[in-house]
């Protein structure tokens, strides 16, 4: 099944991603909407263990930066493949998998799930849970110290919770309130559930041949608890609420992926598909509710994800990020190209109106960047879980005894690999 080449060595896929006839969605490549086969899976994205290990050492730029793995890891893969069979004028040596796959400016929180399915995925998810806990500690220290320069504070964070600084940057009272909430968070069951799940992931990394029963029980328990915490919180544009929901949501996603991957690896493939088929619609609804709430505004012309695609945000928010947010926005996702363009023009005109200018303060802009960061995380997490469901369905269709049968082996070169979808 596995194509033993890096993604950039398959010209047809690269060309499709460049001209827009193909799109990356989570961990799969699909025919783009509007094409004759729109939505159909073309390839599954898998990463070799070496790539997953490298992910653990790469920095993620907070709030508006691109994911560094693209240049440092996948970009190098293009070099050692020497762009075999690809027109250099078309791709160019500066063209990396970042722009081809749309990885630029993915919120750091979304990196808590690996790109696709990986043998070393448990180690990576455990590592990112640790990074989440570390981010909470760093954020607490930063709030206690106060704000000197916003950029310095953002650089001090791991990136996963950096958007919270943008929400409370102008209010010392809000900073203190958020600091108190972080302290309370350490005492909450929320952290205990994440810590328990992290401990099981660490155990799986050290003893991969052990029975998965204990880890499955912990993952199921964490999934149920964290899902309830994420979905029962009020839809409020408040730093404390966003922080609690964000951490719960990321933990929920990891618990889902952990439980499903354990079942896939140990041959319980129908059970894995059932878990994913049950949880993913709930996660999608959760993402839609938050997108609808956070994109809402008193100015109807701005109550759309397309406000982020206007010239006002050109240097802050990439088109890929706008597209991902659109995927979870109920009012944007079903629009035609003409309707999308109309929304974008309406938002642009509104932002240029004289009556709107007093509203466009640095505080307002920070809040918009925070909203974009937050929604981007939700969108990418949902897309990657959806990709995992597609992989589970592939395992079931192929009749494999374990998902390991479809994955690159431990000796595979670091990089992304392609797995064909089952023909229907």
């Amino acid at each position: 099944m596995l194509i033993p080449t890096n993604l950039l060595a398959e010209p047809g896929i690269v060309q499709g991603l460049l001209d827009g006839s193909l799109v990356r969605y989570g961990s799969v490549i699909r025919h783009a909407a509007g094409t004759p086969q729109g939505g159909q899976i073309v390839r599954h994205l898998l990463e070799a263990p070496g790539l997953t290990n490298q992910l653990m050492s790469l920095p993620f730029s907070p709030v508006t930066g691109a994911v560094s793995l693209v240049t440092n890891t996948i970009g190098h893969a293009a070099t050692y493949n020497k762009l075999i069979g690809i027109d250099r004028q078309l791709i160019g040596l500066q063209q990396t998998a970042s722009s081809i796959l749309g990885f630029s400016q993915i919120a750091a929180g979304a990196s808590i799930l690996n790109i696709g399915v990986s043998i070393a995925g448990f180690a990576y998810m455990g590592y990112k849970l640790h990074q989440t806990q570390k981010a909470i500690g760093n954020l607490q220290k930063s709030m206690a110290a106060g704000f000197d320069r916003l950029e310095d504070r953002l650089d001090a964070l791991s990136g996963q919770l950096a958007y919270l600084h943008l929400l409370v940057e102008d209010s010392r009272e809000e900073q203190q309130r958020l600091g108190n909430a972080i302290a309370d968070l350490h005492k909450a069951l929320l952290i205990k559930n994440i810590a328990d799940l992290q401990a099981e992931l660490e155990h799986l990394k050290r003893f991969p041949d052990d029975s998965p029963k204990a880890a499955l029980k912990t993952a199921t328990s964490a999934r149920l608890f964290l899902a309830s915490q994420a979905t029962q919180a009020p839809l409020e544009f408040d730093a404390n609420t966003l922080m609690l929901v964000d951490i719960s949501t990321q933990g929920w996603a990891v618990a889902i992926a952990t439980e499903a991957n354990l079942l896939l690896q140990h041959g319980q493939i129908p059970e894995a598909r059932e878990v994913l088929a049950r949880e993913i619609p709930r996660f999608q609804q959760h993402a839609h509710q938050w997108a609808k709430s956070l994109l809402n505004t008193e100015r109807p012309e701005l109550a759309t994800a397309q406000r982020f695609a206007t010239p006002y945000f050109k240097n802050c928010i990439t088109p890929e990020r706008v597209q991902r947010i659109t995927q979870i926005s109920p009012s944007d996702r079903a629009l035609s190209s003409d309707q999308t363009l109309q929304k974008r023009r309406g938002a642009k005109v509104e932002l240029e109106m004289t009556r709107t200018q007093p509203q466009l303060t640095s505080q307002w802009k920070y809040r918009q960047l925070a909203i974009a960061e937050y929604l981007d995380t939700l969108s990418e997490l949902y897309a990657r879980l959806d990709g995992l469901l597609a992989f589970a369905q592939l395992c079931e269709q192929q009749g494999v005894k374990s998902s390991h049968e479809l994955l690159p082996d431990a000796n595979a070169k670091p990089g992304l690999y392609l797995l064909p979808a089952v023909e229907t």
Side-chain angles (χ1 to χ4, degrees), residues 297-325:
T297 176
E298 294 179 357
R299 304 280 177 86
E301 297 84 359
L302 297 180
T304 170
Q306 293 306 317
R307 71 184 186 227
F308 298 130
T310 59
Y312 184 82
F313 293 105
K314 182 178 180 180
N315 296 325
C316 305
I317 299 176
T318 64
E320 292 90 355
R321 170 163 280 181
V322 177
Q323 180 59 31
R324 287 191 294 270
I325 295 172

Side-chain angles (χ1 to χ4, degrees), residues 23-26 63-67 97-108 110 287-288 291 295 305-306 308 316-330 332-333 372-384:
V23 294
R24 179 193 69 84
Y25 184 71
V63 185
T64 58
V67 181
S98 174
S99 54
I100 294 174
L101 291 173
F103 283 133
S104 61
Q105 208 182 47
I106 290 177
H288 285 179
L295 291 174
Q306 293 306 317
F308 298 130
C316 305
I317 299 176
T318 64
E320 292 90 355
R321 170 163 280 181
V322 177
Q323 180 59 31
R324 287 191 294 270
I325 295 172
T326 298
Q327 293 295 325
I328 61 169
S329 170
D332 290 292
R333 60 195 303 266
E373 172 88 2
Y374 187 84
L375 294 180
D376 193 7
T377 299
L378 277 177
S379 179
E380 187 68 18
L381 285 174
Y382 166 67
R384 294 187 188 186

Side-chain angles (χ1 to χ4, degrees), residues 40-279:
Q40 183 175 324
I41 296 175
V42 180
R43 296 285 189 272
H44 294 261
L45 280 174
L46 308 176
E47 69 264 25
L51 175 60
T52 306
N53 293 336
Q54 289 182 41
L55 289 174
M56 298 184 190
S57 63
L58 295 176
F60 292 84
S61 180
V63 185
T64 58
V67 181
S68 300
L69 77 92
V70 171
T71 300
N72 296 341
T73 302
I74 305 174
H76 290 174
T79 301
Y80 70 64
N81 277 304
K82 297 181 180 178
L83 301 175
I84 297 172
I86 302 176
D87 185 343
R88 287 176 182 268
Q89 293 297 319
L90 178 66
I91 303 299
L93 293 177
Q94 300 304 314
Q95 180 76 56
T96 69
S98 174
S99 54
I100 294 174
L101 291 173
F103 283 133
S104 61
Q105 208 182 47
I106 290 177
S111 66
I112 202 164
L113 291 178
N114 53 346
I115 296 167
V117 182
S118 169
I119 293 173
F122 291 131
Y124 183 60
M125 285 190 285
Y127 165 76
K128 292 309 296 181
L129 281 178
H130 171 72
Q131 290 297 93
T132 300
Q133 291 179 298
K134 180 180 178 182
I136 294 170
N138 288 343
L139 184 60
Q140 185 176 23
K141 291 177 183 178
S142 183
M143 291 299 167
F147 284 64
D148 296 324
R149 289 180 67 251
L150 178 63
E151 293 83 358
D152 292 339
R153 296 304 176 194
L154 294 177
D155 289 342
L157 296 174
S158 71
Q160 291 193 40
L161 301 174
Y163 68 89
L164 292 169
H165 273 275
L166 298 176
L167 294 180
V168 300
E169 187 270 340
D170 66 316
S171 172
R172 182 58 187 168
E173 181 180 349
E174 283 298 308
Q175 295 166 27
Q176 184 61 50
R177 185 164 167 257
L178 181 58
N180 293 337
I182 297 166
D184 292 340
L185 185 62
H186 280 288
K187 306 171 186 176
L189 285 173
L190 187 64
I191 292 299
K192 180 183 183 303
N193 274 265
I194 290 176
D196 288 345
L197 182 56
Q198 182 186 350
E200 289 296 340
L201 289 169
E202 286 292 321
H203 181 83
L204 287 171
K205 180 176 69 173
R206 294 168 181 164
F207 306 101
D209 297 327
D210 274 12
S211 169
K213 290 183 179 179
L216 274 170
K217 183 177 179 180
T218 300
T220 302
S221 175
R223 170 173 60 82
L224 295 171
F225 177 78
L226 294 169
S228 69
Q229 294 297 300
T231 57
Q232 291 178 16
L235 296 169
E236 298 176 347
F237 188 34
D238 169 79
N240 295 350
T241 301
L242 289 177
M243 177 184 66
L244 291 170
V245 173
D246 189 11
I247 293 170
S248 299
T249 300
Q250 292 187 41
W252 180 18
V254 171
I256 294 171
T258 299
E259 186 175 0
N261 271 310
L262 280 169
L263 291 169
L264 288 172
Q265 289 184 11
H266 291 272
Q268 299 184 49
I269 294 170
E271 290 81 358
R273 180 184 51 76
E274 289 173 7
V275 168
L276 291 166
R278 182 173 62 250
E279 288 297 306

